[in-house]
């Protein structure tokens, strides 16, 4: 079932290769910024124990694991200051721990997930893997994401955190190891570890799965309340959508904005589904290991049945959570479709308003054009006469005082003969040019209609 894997020793180069891809550092920058909890069970049969030890300096932790012999079971629990801060251990100390126990370098892939909040792009990572060592021990490691109630107030009082679990189980004897990485100090899991150690002070539990059950019992139940919180926000959004009055053109801007704002809930559901799938894969892998250990007589039938019952419960719970997420995703999709319709209707309303305004402007422009046309015609009528009058200097009239009035020159007919034909010529030219432009516009319009008809 499990082949013996060659251990890939962790070297500094492994972290150097990963470092450029990390937005935040997963390890403490100096040894003094450490938070390491260690407890040793020297023997499985007697009460002899060592610890707990709390190391606030990674150098002291390195010295301890280098100078003390490996106990029957060792528990190492490392905490971050918060989800956005590095683990309370230096890279050198973590490398010393991994290499001291001959742990494969692939554990580093899980460790570097810390130092920053869990990424949605990594929501499908961290399912349980198993390696069998040459001495017959089994290395199990996984990253378990969980919902944690946030201290900050807001519409969504939940945040996503993660914990890393490494377990070396040696059915033959000593060398058992548990490593826990926490995204915050005094996490629920950390408190349960301390309580478990206290309750087992006379000797570590002989059940290989004891700490795995602690992880599942500490965090799986939170997903229910996190999903319910998201569901309540979606219900509020649905209420907004159903009461939105689209018949009003100006009074529902706030409603549309409120309908747009909660759409990020859909983005929250997608990684939740992936993380639950990873948790389900881990539980299935634990079930597989339970069956394997039972078949090899490495676990008693009673222990195997008890663990199988626990796994069946958690498996059913996660499958139920996945169905709940699926229902909420359907509701979010319905809201999105309704929003698309609402925005489309809103856009049509705005377009109609714009068209009405354009029609009004066109009518006003047409009236202005008619006025300009009248002025133009009047100008064209008077322009030739003005031109002729200017040309002839208007010396055709005599305002002399001899007869007490004025006399018209006998050459006045020249003005009439010159002005009237020029006026007729000007108006005729304007009329011909205008009609020609109208015919050209009509021809172009008819050509476009013909082309549109051919395409159809």
């Amino acid at each position: 079932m499990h082949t013996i894997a060659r251990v890939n020793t962790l070297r500094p180069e492994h972290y150097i290769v990963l470092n450029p891809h990390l937005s935040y550092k997963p390890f403490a920058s100096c040894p003094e910024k450490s938070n390491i909890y260690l407890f040793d069970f020297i023997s499985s049969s007697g009460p002899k124990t060592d610890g707990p030890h709390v190391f606030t300096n990674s150098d002291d932790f390195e010295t301890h694991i280098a100078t003390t012999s490996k106990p029957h079971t060792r528990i190492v629990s490392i905490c971050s200051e918060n989800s956005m801060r590095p683990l309370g251990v230096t890279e050198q100390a973590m490398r010393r721990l991994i290499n001291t126990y001959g742990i494969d370098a692939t554990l580093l892939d899980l460790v570097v997930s810390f130092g920053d909040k869990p990424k949605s792009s990594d929501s499908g990572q961290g399912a349980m893997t198993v390696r069998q060592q040459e001495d017959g021990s089994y290395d199990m490691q996984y990253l378990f994401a969980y919902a944690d109630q946030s201290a900050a107030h807001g519409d969504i009082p939940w945040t996503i955190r993660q914990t890393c679990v490494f377990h070396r189980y040696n059915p033959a004897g000593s060398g058992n190891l548990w490593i826990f990485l926490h995204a915050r100090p005094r996490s629920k899991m950390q408190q349960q570890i301390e309580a478990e150690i206290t309750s087992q002070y006379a000797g570590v539990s002989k059940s290989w799965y004891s700490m795995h059950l602690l992880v599942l019992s500490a965090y799986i139940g939170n997903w229910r309340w996190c999903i319910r919180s998201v569901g309540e926000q979606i219900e509020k959004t649905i209420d907004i959508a159903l009461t939105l009055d689209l018949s009003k053109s100006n009074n529902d801007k706030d409603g549309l904005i409120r309908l747009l704002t909660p759409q990020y809930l859909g983005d929250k559901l997608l990684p939740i589904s992936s993380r639950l799938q990873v948790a389900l894969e881990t539980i299935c892998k634990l079930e597989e290991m339970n069956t394997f250990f039972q078949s090899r007589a490495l676990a008693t039938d009673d222990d195997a049945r008890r663990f199988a019952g626990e796994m069946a419960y958690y498996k059913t719970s996660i499958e139920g959570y996945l169905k709940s997420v699926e229902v909420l995703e359907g509701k979010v999709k319905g809201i999105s479709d309704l929003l698309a319709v609402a925005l489309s209707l809103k856009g049509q309303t705005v377009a109609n308003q714009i068209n009405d305004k354009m029609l009004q402007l066109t009518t006003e422009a047409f009236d202005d054009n008619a006025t300009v046309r009248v002025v133009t015609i009047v100008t064209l009528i008077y322009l030739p006469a003005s031109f002729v009058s200017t040309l002839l200097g208007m010396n055709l009239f005599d305002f002399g005082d001899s007869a007490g009035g004025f006399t018209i020159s006998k050459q006045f007919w020249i003005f009439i003969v010159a002005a009237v034909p020029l006026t007729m010529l000007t108006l005729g030219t304007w009329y011909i040019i205008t009609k020609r432009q109208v015919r050209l516009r009509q021809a172009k319009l008819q050509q476009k209609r013909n082309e549109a008809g051919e395409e159809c």
Side-chain angles (χ1 to χ4, degrees):
M1 177 180 175
H2 299 283
T3 58
I4 298 176
R6 179 179 176 272
V7 175
N8 184 16
T9 303
L10 182 62
R11 297 186 298 273
E13 291 77 13
H14 287 91
Y15 180 65
I16 293 174
V17 172
L18 295 175
N19 195 36
H21 305 286
L22 303 176
S23 301
Y24 300 92
K25 306 305 178 185
F27 299 109
S29 57
C30 60
E32 293 78 12
K33 297 181 179 180
S34 301
N35 187 354
I36 306 170
Y37 177 95
L38 183 143
F39 196 93
D40 290 340
F41 289 94
I42 307 301
S43 173
S44 62
S45 58
K48 190 175 181 181
T49 59
D50 182 22
H53 300 278
V54 178
F55 296 96
T56 57
N57 190 307
S58 290
D59 292 340
D60 296 338
F61 172 70
E62 284 191 71
T63 302
H64 180 83
I65 62 176
T67 57
T68 58
S69 59
K70 295 179 182 178
H72 178 273
T73 301
R74 171 167 284 169
I75 299 175
V76 180
S77 186
I78 303 173
C79 301
S80 299
E81 185 177 339
N82 56 60
S83 296
M84 300 295 293
R85 303 293 296 171
L87 289 167
V89 65
T90 61
E91 185 271 334
Q92 178 179 319
M94 177 59 72
R95 180 159 34 90
R96 172 65 66 88
L97 174 63
I98 290 175
N99 290 335
T100 298
Y101 276 86
I103 301 172
D104 191 80
T106 54
L107 179 61
L108 184 65
D109 293 335
L110 303 182
V111 176
V112 295
S113 299
F114 290 81
D116 193 7
K117 62 182 180 180
K119 300 291 187 181
S120 297
S121 56
D122 294 335
S123 58
Q125 305 294 324
M128 180 175 171
T129 59
V130 181
R131 286 174 174 266
Q132 184 178 2
Q133 302 295 327
E134 294 181 355
D135 62 355
S137 60
Y138 298 87
D139 286 358
M140 295 164 271
Q141 61 188 38
Y142 55 90
L143 198 65
F144 193 87
Y146 62 93
D148 193 19
Q149 197 159 16
S150 176
H153 297 286
D155 293 335
I156 305 295
W158 293 90
T159 185
I160 305 301
R161 303 187 193 275
Q162 58 192 0
T163 187
C164 179
V165 179
F166 174 85
H167 178 206
R168 170 166 293 173
Y169 173 57
N170 187 357
S174 63
N176 297 281
L177 176 67
W178 290 92
I179 301 176
F180 298 98
L181 306 180
H182 307 276
R184 55 178 295 189
R186 302 297 301 164
S187 65
K188 186 176 181 180
M189 180 61 194
Q190 174 68 18
Q191 296 177 42
Q192 291 195 4
I193 290 173
E194 295 176 7
E196 177 72 7
I197 290 174
T198 302
S199 65
Q200 300 291 341
Y201 204 83
V204 68
S205 174
K206 295 181 180 180
S207 300
W208 67 272
Y209 54 77
S210 58
M211 293 295 186
H212 294 293
L213 287 181
L214 284 184
V215 175
L216 299 178
S217 64
Y219 295 131
I220 280 187
N222 284 359
W223 282 118
R224 176 184 179 183
W225 312 117
C226 176
I227 294 171
R228 174 178 289 188
S229 177
V230 176
E232 290 174 353
Q233 295 300 312
I234 293 174
E235 293 294 339
K236 292 180 182 179
T237 305
I238 293 175
D239 292 340
I240 295 172
L242 294 178
T243 57
L244 192 63
D245 188 359
L246 296 174
S247 62
K248 299 179 181 180
S249 59
N250 296 321
N251 296 333
D252 279 315
K253 294 180 180 179
D254 293 339
L256 285 172
I257 293 174
R258 291 170 63 194
L259 194 60
L260 282 168
T261 302
Q263 293 305 304
Y264 75 96
L265 294 173
D267 295 333
K268 290 181 70 70
L269 286 173
L270 292 176
I272 287 177
S273 179
S274 297
R275 290 184 173 110
L276 288 174
Q277 288 286 357
V278 171
L280 186 60
E281 291 177 18
T282 297
I283 289 176
C284 291
K285 195 67 176 179
L286 287 170
E287 282 186 321
E288 181 182 332
M289 293 304 299
N290 184 49
T291 303
F292 174 74
F293 289 150
Q294 184 183 17
S295 66
R296 296 294 182 90
L298 301 178
T300 65
D301 292 341
D302 289 340
D303 281 346
R305 281 193 297 269
R306 177 176 179 270
F307 186 68
E310 295 284 353
M311 291 300 99
Y313 168 75
Y314 290 124
K315 186 176 180 179
T316 302
S317 297
I318 291 183
E319 289 174 347
Y321 300 154
L322 285 170
K323 291 179 181 178
S324 298
V325 170
E326 184 178 352
V327 171
L328 293 180
E329 287 175 345
K331 286 191 173 184
V332 170
K333 184 179 183 302
I335 295 173
S336 300
D337 294 341
L338 182 60
L339 177 61
V341 174
L343 293 177
S344 177
L345 293 176
K346 192 71 176 179
Q348 292 178 10
T349 302
V350 174
N352 290 335
Q353 292 175 348
I354 294 175
N355 290 336
D356 292 341
K357 189 66 176 178
M358 292 299 297
L359 180 60
Q360 180 182 354
L361 293 175
T362 302
T363 302
E364 293 176 356
F366 181 79
D367 294 339
D368 292 340
N369 289 338
T371 302
V372 172
R373 185 174 182 178
V374 172
V375 173
T376 301
I377 294 175
V378 172
T379 302
L380 290 175
I381 292 173
Y382 284 95
L383 181 61
S386 300
F387 171 73
V388 173
S389 299
T390 303
L391 181 65
L392 300 179
M394 294 303 292
N395 292 324
L396 301 176
F397 298 95
D398 186 8
F399 294 93
D401 297 331
S402 58
F406 71 92
T407 58
I408 299 176
S409 174
K410 295 180 179 181
Q411 285 78 27
F412 181 75
W413 62 271
I414 298 175
F415 172 77
I416 301 297
V417 171
V420 172
L422 283 175
T423 300
M424 299 300 295
L425 179 62
T426 302
L427 292 175
T429 303
W430 170 80
Y431 179 79
I432 292 172
I433 293 174
T434 301
K435 287 297 183 180
R436 183 180 179 184
Q437 290 177 345
V438 171
R439 286 196 300 271
L440 290 175
R441 284 198 298 268
Q442 291 177 347
K444 290 181 180 179
L445 180 60
Q446 185 63 36
Q447 183 180 359
K448 291 181 179 179
R449 290 176 179 175
N450 294 337
E451 292 176 354
E454 292 176 359
E455 291 178 357
C456 294

